[in-house]
Structure formats: structure tokens, C-alpha cells
């Protein structure tokens, strides 16, 4: 992919932990397909949207090849009106290519990322989610479990620029830590 006006490809960062992450996700029973427990992941995404006042939020597990929206919140009434909304329409549509969006960058960096207006950052402005999904603002943090593996991300996105600020950054990091506790509780239940 080539971002507008730069003439050079926008590359997804190299993920040196992909195989380790994929194995960990499989051991936890996450990231491949939805099951009954994923309703709690949707509920968590709803909570993220409420706390951040964002129209979209995602609990995203990322393996070597794709992203899986295990938890997804979209505004009522637009399920067919956008790519994120379309993903919410059915569980089968909850996958996204690994080179789309900003979560893979958060995952590899292992740090939260705030993009108040993605168009202000040439590195991110050319990402397909800008044109395909209308994403203009992103707030995300990695989900790093007790083993040190970054399993995915939790994020809030908007179709308009947002001044997330330091409060938004602190909030998304806190929500990520809270969700990791849910994963660890889930793991305890599978032993």
C-alpha cells in the first residue's frame, strides 16, 4: 500500500513474537473463532466505548496473519453502513488483515498509541482503514499477559478527530490492564 502523497509503502512493523503469540492464543482458546464466552468480550468493548465516549471500540487478538475482533462495539443502526459496522453484523466478519489499522503497531511497540487525527501522521494516514472504514482517530493499548506475551489490543476509534489527551491515554492503559485480568481469570477456569 502507498500512502497518499508520500510515494513510499506504509509497512506493518515486523512481528518477531507472532508464532509465540499465536501459540499462546491457542492455549487460551482465543483468536480463532467466537464462542459463548465472547459475549463478555463484546460487553467489555461496550464498556470501553462508554468510558471513552467513542462510537467504536474493539478487543483485538492478533496472530501471525490476521486480527480477530473478539469484542466489538459499534453504534446502533450503522451495522451495514461501514466496514466496522459490517464486521459487527456477523461473527464471521470479525477478521481483518494484519496490515490494516493501528493495532499491529501497538502490539509490536508494546506501548499505547494515541492518534488524535491520523491524517496528521504521514506514517499512519495511508493505512487502508482511513479510506475503507473512515477511521480518523485512534486510542489503543496492548494486552500483555502474565507470561509477557502481547496477545492483542484494546482500542477506541472514531470517524472524526478526537482530543484524547493524557486522560485518554491513561484510561486506555487502565482498561487494557483490566482486560488482561479477565483473560487470566478465563485461563484459571480452563485449567
Amino acid at each position: 500500500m502507498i500512502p497518499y502523497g508520500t510515494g513510499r509503502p506504509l509497512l506493518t512493523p515486523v512481528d518477531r513474537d507472532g508464532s509465540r503469540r499465536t501459540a499462546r492464543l491457542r492455549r487460551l482458546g482465543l483468536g480463532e473463532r467466537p464462542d459463548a464466552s465472547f459475549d463478555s468480550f463484546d460487553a467489555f468493548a461496550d464498556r470501553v466505548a462508554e468510558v471513552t465516549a467513542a462510537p467504536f471500540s474493539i478487543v483485538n487478538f492478533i496472530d501471525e496473519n490476521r486480527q480477530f475482533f473478539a469484542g466489538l462495539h459499534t453504534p446502533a443502526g450503522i451495522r451495514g453502513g461501514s466496514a466496522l459496522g459490517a464486521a459487527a453484523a456477523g461473527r464471521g466478519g470479525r477478521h481483518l488483515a494484519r496490515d490494516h489499522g493501528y493495532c499491529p503497531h501497538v502490539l509490536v511497540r508494546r506501548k499505547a498509541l494515541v492518534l488524535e487525527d491520523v491524517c496528521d501522521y504521514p506514517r499512519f494516514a495511508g493505512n487502508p482503514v482511513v479510506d475503507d472504514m473512515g477511521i480518523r482517530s485512534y486510542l489503543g493499548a496492548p494486552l500483555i499477559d502474565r507470561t509477557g506475551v502481547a496477545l492483542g489490543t484494546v482500542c477506541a476509534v472514531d470517524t472524526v478527530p478526537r482530543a484524547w489527551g493524557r486522560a485518554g491515554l491513561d484510561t486506555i492503559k487502565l482498561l487494557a490492564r483490566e482486560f488482561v485480568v479477565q483473560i487470566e481469570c478465563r485461563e484459571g477456569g480452563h485449567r
Side-chain angles (χ1 to χ4, degrees):
M1 84 192 82
I2 297 179
Y4 300 112
T6 67
R8 58 188 163 81
L10 175 70
L11 300 175
T12 302
V14 175
D15 181 9
R16 299 188 197 298
D17 291 333
S19 59
R20 184 174 169 219
R21 175 181 318 99
T22 300
R24 180 81 176 125
L25 287 168
R26 285 193 180 129
R27 277 194 304 274
L28 292 168
L30 301 171
E32 291 183 26
R33 62 188 176 281
D35 62 28
S37 67
F38 280 81
D39 288 341
S40 68
F41 296 170
D42 280 340
F44 192 84
D46 291 343
R47 184 162 174 270
V48 171
E50 181 181 339
V51 169
T52 62
F56 299 94
S57 64
I58 303 166
V59 173
N60 189 9
F61 296 119
I62 303 171
D63 67 20
E64 293 174 284
N65 303 308
R66 63 184 179 177
Q67 302 176 63
F68 174 60
F69 300 162
L72 180 63
H73 171 88
T74 64
I78 68 160
R79 291 185 186 266
S82 72
L84 274 175
R91 296 268 193 209
R94 289 188 177 219
H95 292 93
L96 187 65
R98 196 172 178 299
D99 65 345
H100 284 53
Y102 311 108
C103 290
H105 295 269
V106 170
L107 189 77
V108 170
R109 289 170 23 127
R110 300 173 61 91
K111 291 182 179 180
L113 177 65
V114 178
L115 300 171
E116 294 185 344
D117 185 343
V118 298
C119 294
D120 288 343
Y121 302 89
R123 176 178 181 191
F124 297 115
N127 196 287
V129 298
V130 176
D131 290 332
D132 296 349
M133 298 180 185
I135 302 298
R136 284 293 301 273
S137 184
Y138 175 89
L139 176 67
L143 299 169
I144 301 173
D145 78 351
R146 65 175 178 75
T147 68
V149 174
L151 301 172
T153 63
V154 61
C155 69
V157 297
D158 207 332
T159 57
V160 297
R162 291 278 302 267
W164 303 105
R166 181 67 190 188
L169 179 64
D170 292 342
T171 298
I172 202 70
K173 288 163 62 174
L174 179 66
L175 288 164
R177 285 191 299 272
E178 184 179 319
F179 191 76
V180 168
V181 169
Q182 281 190 25
I183 292 170
E184 290 170 354
C185 288
R186 175 186 171 94
E187 182 179 25
H190 281 155
R191 288 183 190 168

